[in-house]
Amino acid sequence: MEPTVNADYGYLRQVVFGVSQNVLDASRDYLFDTRLAKLLRNQGMARLDELVRKLRIEKNPALEREVAEAMTINETSFFRDLRPFELLRQELLPRLIAARRARRTLRLWSAACATGQEAYSLAMMLLENFPSLAGWNLVIEGTDICREVVQRAQTGRYHRIEINRGLPARYVVRYFDRQGEDWIVRPELRRLCHFRQANLCGPVLPFNRSTDAFDVIFLRNVMLYFDLPTRRALMAGIHRLLAPDSILFLGSSEQPVDMAPWTPVLAGGTCHYRPRQAG
Ligand SMILES: C[S@@+](CC[C@H](N)C(=O)[O-])C[C@H]1O[C@@H](n2cnc3c(N)ncnc32)[C@H](O)[C@@H]1O
């Protein structure tokens, strides 16, 4: 493929930012060539500048979305950075469960769930360690901007290599069925997890405070792709969706932009955040 001129890469970066608010570094422009190869083939195009020309002329939101989705980084694994899961299991969930005894409902959100391993890990942790939750309304929402990964999460089908990254053997045996080189999540796990496509940086978040407040939110390894104003707006939205005694986990190298609305809690070798109430 012939090299694309700098101006074209700049335009592609703008398109990505416009759709997903992901800030791509110019030093990694070469990624456009590999990541957009499939989209070019589907469009019957041989070169990136043909795609850029089409984008410039048509301003086609569906095509822009495809570009932005193709540029997302969907790296994830089961029980990624085990510490938040361990802390939830040992300390935080027993307390939350006691506090929610009357309502018998727990709502968890894997925001930017990629292919779903984080949501299914939370589901396995609940089923495995808290038999007292039988009969409760347990809801684990998984959302991601990238349609392809959301579809993969919905199928709950993982290759042996993905299963071997972080999933204890006893969980594989208990919660997955084998099909050749793949493993499929069993219905008891799938039943708890609901996946859908949603942009964390759209005008509104995909949930509504009055009906959908969460007890636990995992917002991990996604804020690093956003600029400061986007992070600030997202954290304000997340704050509104958390019940007063609920818990937020960010990625191990991420922090809220403004600390004032949050109480950071260091425990279990990790940091989680509790929403402070205004006033
Ligand atoms: C590195 S993965 C993190 C997956 C998982 N949270 C974890 O920590 O293992 C980042 C995910 O964020 C998603 N993402 C990026 N921008 C987004 C946006 N504006 N709205 C929703 N999801 C977004 C990407 O599609 C990608 O799947």
Side-chain angles (χ1 to χ4, degrees):
M1 193 184 296
E2 289 184 31
T4 304
V5 292
N6 285 341
D8 285 348
Y9 286 124
Y11 189 76
L12 288 170
R13 273 185 260 119
Q14 269 177 41
V15 166
V16 170
F17 183 77
V19 175
S20 65
Q21 269 66 52
N22 283 213
V23 179
L24 302 183
D25 195 287
S27 67
R28 308 187 78 199
D29 277 347
Y30 61 89
L31 288 176
F32 283 109
D33 295 283
T34 44
R35 297 269 180 81
L36 296 182
K38 184 170 156 203
L39 177 56
L40 283 187
R41 272 198 309 280
N42 292 344
Q43 292 285 326
M45 294 174 178
R47 295 159 41 127
L48 211 49
D49 51 354
E50 292 173 64
L51 177 65
V52 173
R53 199 170 320 119
K54 186 172 163 106
L55 286 162
R56 282 186 193 272
I57 292 168
E58 291 186 6
K59 305 254 183 289
N60 172 345
L63 187 59
E64 291 178 349
R65 246 192 343 262
E66 282 193 62
V67 170
E69 288 181 31
M71 295 308 295
T72 55
I73 294 170
N74 312 117
E75 169 72 19
T76 190
S77 56
F78 289 103
F79 294 101
R80 180 178 190 177
D81 179 8
L82 189 60
R83 286 167 294 194
F85 296 93
E86 278 301 287
L87 184 66
L88 275 172
R89 182 177 71 80
Q90 290 173 5
E91 270 185 44
L92 304 180
L93 275 170
R95 255 185 269 152
L96 258 180
I97 290 168
R100 301 289 184 272
R101 223 175 9 230
R103 230 176 58 192
R104 290 167 69 83
T105 294
L106 271 184
R107 290 178 46 80
L108 294 76
W109 180 18
S110 167
C113 63
T115 36
Q117 285 90 326
E118 187 172 82
Y120 287 125
S121 302
L122 289 167
M124 282 184 273
M125 199 243 313
L126 289 178
L127 290 182
E128 190 72 15
N129 298 289
F130 301 99
S132 64
L133 293 177
W136 281 45
N137 180 24
L138 301 180
V139 178
I140 300 170
E141 302 280 2
T143 62
D144 198 284
I145 196 168
C146 178
R147 192 183 20 190
E148 197 175 314
V149 294
V150 170
Q151 281 167 357
R152 280 213 53 214
Q154 284 164 339
T155 66
R157 186 183 193 104
Y158 297 97
H159 189 268
R160 176 176 45 81
I161 294 172
E162 293 170 304
I163 290 287
N164 287 342
R165 286 186 64 197
L167 196 53
R170 69 175 193 285
Y171 284 7
V172 183
V173 172
R174 231 171 267 180
Y175 298 108
F176 290 79
D177 291 317
R178 187 169 175 180
Q179 265 185 25
E181 287 283 280
D182 291 344
W183 293 82
I184 322 278
V185 296
R186 293 226 175 110
E188 68 207 270
L189 210 55
R190 193 192 308 257
R191 202 167 29 85
L192 302 186
C193 299
H194 310 268
F195 295 101
R196 66 178 147 123
Q197 188 182 21
N199 186 355
L200 289 172
C201 309
V204 287
L205 283 173
F207 299 101
N208 175 320
R209 180 189 168 86
S210 54
T211 49
D212 302 327
F214 286 98
D215 302 303
V216 178
I217 297 181
F218 272 44
L219 177 69
R220 301 193 306 162
N221 306 305
V222 62
M223 282 216 294
L224 67 163
Y225 301 111
F226 304 144
D227 63 10
L228 270 183
T230 307
R231 289 182 203 183
R232 191 169 278 130
L234 174 57
M235 289 304 294
I238 292 281
H239 191 278
R240 283 192 290 275
L241 283 176
L242 282 164
D245 56 349
S246 56
I247 298 148
L248 169 69
F249 279 102
L250 301 177
S252 56
S253 58
E254 295 167 321
Q255 287 178 353
V257 188
D258 304 314
M259 285 305 292
W262 301 96
T263 304
V265 184
L266 293 171
T270 181
C271 183
H272 64 277
Y273 298 87
R274 291 187 176 277
R276 280 200 186 117
Q277 297 313 297

